Amino acid sequence: LVGLGLLLFVICTLNVLWMADKLTMGSERRRRVQTETTSLIAPLLTTGSDSAVVFETTDSETEQQIEPIDIFPWDLWPSGVSRDELNIKDSPFDFSSDWVIFLRIPKCGTKTMSTLIQPATKSKNCAGGFFGSPPADRPLCHAFGTCSVTNLDRVRKESTSKNCHVFENHHCDWFDLNNVWNSSLPDIKYITIVRDPIARTISEYKHVYAGNPKSWDYCPSKEPGKSFTKENFLSYLNNPTNSQGMRNRQTRMLAGCGSQVLCSDRYPSDRDMLEEAKRNLLRCKEFGTLSKFNELIVRMNHVMHLNINSFTIQTEARDNMPLEWKHDEEVVDLVASYNHLDVELYQFARLVEDFRIHQLEETNQMHQVECSGRRCDIVKSMMSKLWELIP
């Protein structure tokens, strides 16, 4: 009886606190979500653009009645996908049989995720080797093994025998990965990270230029002039030799072209490829943007019932290399023009991400992440701890 009384007290207290939170914070959160959504959609409201979205703001009184689901720009939603996929998932990870497949797009915070996902899934002794999905018209221009069925199937068998259920040491695209780890199976859990295309493209340029003659999946050109100047970067960006890394890489990798067929042969148009990239993003058990990496880890814990309590941000020397030029209008416009598919994909990812963050905030399960230096710790509030007491 004492235990039952305590449980009832906790439930009543939780309900009172939850209602108070809803009354005091609900309208504020709705206004914030709408403001963020408006700012995200703004870049897509370009006259004559086939991706334009009609979005109307409301006055402050009406604004308080709007829920995020009502303001989501469904014109951006891929065809053939249920709108229920907007909601955050619940897909507990079975440590004895499930797989986590990290679709690892270059320069999207991949090293940090790779270091924490193995211990989070209790995986050890994962099979070695690094693999990539080079374009079909440049079969010899890649630095690592290809993501062939033969190679990936070998990795899967070796890793399984060593009690490893994670594949993250690669830059394989969706098509090549899905040939071995079928995303439609309940024991296969894909995750990925996307990044602002402007920052990602410049970061890849810094990483591969003046380095090895072969990058992950292409052979970078060497532009005349001093390295890392603005003029050099723009020349590098304009050079079609570097298109694999500089133009819509995120969309291509998420849609999946494979190493045997060109993207132009697999998809009738760029729009079809973008639609498939969005569908595959939603097929992931969870995904996020690099700008909200901390929130992604909290959501992964929630979705897959993991127990990641802390992590360390991994960096490389070139990540901290300052450029002597700014991302001015000329740079932003040119990168965006070559990465127009990635721009829309990123905006779409942010909208879905913010909606799911809001869902967890509504139930006080969006835990805070406190960082000191490169070390970050997930801190649960008293409210979230109370929620966990309820069966």
Side-chain angles (χ1 to χ4, degrees):
L1 289 176
V2 173
L4 180 60
L6 179 60
L7 179 60
L8 290 173
F9 173 77
V10 170
I11 292 174
C12 292
T13 302
L14 183 60
N15 282 331
V16 170
L17 292 174
W18 179 73
M19 287 301 296
D21 177 73
K22 290 282 284 184
L23 290 172
T24 59
M25 298 297 294
S27 60
E28 179 183 340
R29 283 173 174 163
R30 282 189 285 271
R31 284 194 295 272
R32 176 175 56 76
V33 170
Q34 186 178 22
T35 300
E36 291 179 356
T37 304
T38 304
S39 66
L40 286 170
I41 297 172
L44 297 176
L45 298 177
T46 305
T47 304
S49 170
D50 61 358
S51 61
V53 178
V54 177
F55 184 82
E56 297 180 359
T57 57
T58 59
D59 58 40
S60 58
E61 284 138 7
T62 309
E63 179 180 283
Q64 294 181 14
Q65 305 303 318
I66 292 179
E67 294 293 341
I69 191 73
D70 299 321
I71 63 173
F72 191 88
W74 293 110
D75 287 355
L76 295 179
W77 195 255
S79 61
V81 180
S82 169
R83 292 186 177 186
D84 289 340
E85 295 300 318
L86 177 60
N87 296 308
I88 195 165
K89 297 176 172 62
D90 182 34
S91 183
F93 182 82
D94 186 331
F95 292 94
S96 64
S97 60
D98 288 0
W99 277 85
V100 170
I101 309 302
F102 177 29
L103 195 150
R104 185 172 170 171
I105 301 171
K107 309 313 296 178
C108 290
T110 57
K111 278 187 170 57
T112 302
M113 179 63 76
S114 294
T115 59
L116 64 86
I117 197 62
Q118 284 195 34
T121 57
K122 301 179 182 178
S123 293
K124 300 177 180 179
N125 305 314
C126 297
F130 198 95
F131 304 91
S133 295
D137 58 346
R138 301 180 193 177
L140 300 179
C141 201
H142 60 92
F144 305 101
T146 60
C147 301
S148 64
V149 171
T150 300
N151 285 339
L152 299 191
D153 194 53
R154 175 184 58 80
V155 169
R156 178 169 185 163
K157 290 177 180 176
E158 288 183 10
S159 293
T160 301
S161 67
K162 297 177 180 179
N163 196 33
C164 171
H165 294 276
V166 172
F167 185 49
E168 47 77 24
N169 203 32
H170 66 90
H171 287 312
C172 302
D173 72 13
W174 185 282
F175 184 87
D176 283 342
L177 289 170
N178 205 54
N179 280 333
V180 177
W181 289 277
N182 191 326
S183 63
S184 65
L185 299 177
D187 61 338
I188 305 299
K189 305 180 189 302
Y190 277 75
I191 60 173
T192 195
I193 306 171
V194 294
R195 185 180 183 183
D196 169 64
I198 311 301
R200 198 215 66 82
T201 301
I202 293 174
S203 182
E204 177 158 340
Y205 162 74
K206 288 163 58 177
H207 186 84
V208 304
Y209 188 75
N212 296 323
K214 293 183 179 181
S215 177
W216 299 293
D217 51 10
Y218 66 108
C219 295
S221 66
K222 296 293 180 286
E223 306 303 318
K226 185 179 178 181
S227 301
F228 305 122
T229 61
K230 173 183 170 181
E231 292 72 26
N232 191 286
F233 170 69
L234 295 178
S235 177
Y236 185 87
L237 187 64
N238 281 313
N239 191 332
T241 300
N242 309 312
S243 60
Q244 187 73 0
M246 296 290 104
R247 305 180 186 182
N248 294 312
R249 176 187 277 284
Q250 298 180 91
T251 302
R252 288 198 326 273
M253 289 189 68
L254 269 165
C257 301
S259 303
Q260 304 300 317
V261 179
L262 292 173
C263 293
S264 57
D265 294 331
R266 191 171 297 283
Y267 299 103
S269 67
D270 283 353
R271 176 57 49 180
D272 290 307
M273 183 167 66
L274 176 60
E275 286 278 293
E276 186 63 13
K278 290 180 180 179
R279 292 188 195 101
N280 289 338
L281 201 61
L282 293 167
R283 289 180 179 122
C284 293
K285 295 307 178 187
E286 194 52 281
F287 65 87
T289 64
L290 182 59
S291 63
K292 294 189 176 180
F293 183 88
N294 294 350
E295 290 86 342
L296 171 59
I297 302 305
V298 174
R299 298 198 326 272
M300 282 173 50
N301 272 344
H302 177 85
V303 171
M304 292 190 281
H305 299 199
L306 301 177
N307 190 33
I308 302 171
N309 295 312
S310 63
F311 55 92
T312 302
I313 302 297
Q314 305 295 316
T315 61
E316 296 179 336
R318 292 190 184 185
D319 294 334
N320 300 317
M321 182 187 70
L323 296 176
E324 296 178 356
W325 42 274
K326 297 181 179 179
H327 305 174
D328 59 19
E329 185 175 352
E330 181 182 14
V331 170
V332 171
D333 288 350
L334 188 60
V335 175
S337 68
Y338 281 129
N339 291 271
H340 62 288
L341 302 179
D342 279 6
V343 169
E344 182 172 333
L345 180 69
Y346 178 70
Q347 299 288 358
F348 176 76
R350 285 197 61 185
L351 288 164
V352 177
E353 174 182 63
D354 283 348
F355 180 86
R356 293 177 177 179
I357 289 173
H358 179 81
Q359 285 186 311
L360 290 189
E361 286 178 340
E362 287 292 281
T363 55
N364 292 287
Q365 297 178 81
M366 193 64 229
H367 309 312
Q368 297 298 309
V369 179
E370 297 180 356
C371 297
S372 177
R374 295 192 296 119
R375 162 82 182 211
C376 297
D377 297 285
I378 297 175
V379 181
K380 296 182 179 180
S381 67
M382 182 60 68
M383 279 292 293
S384 65
K385 291 178 180 178
L386 286 171
W387 273 101
E388 292 174 356
L389 292 176
I390 299 180

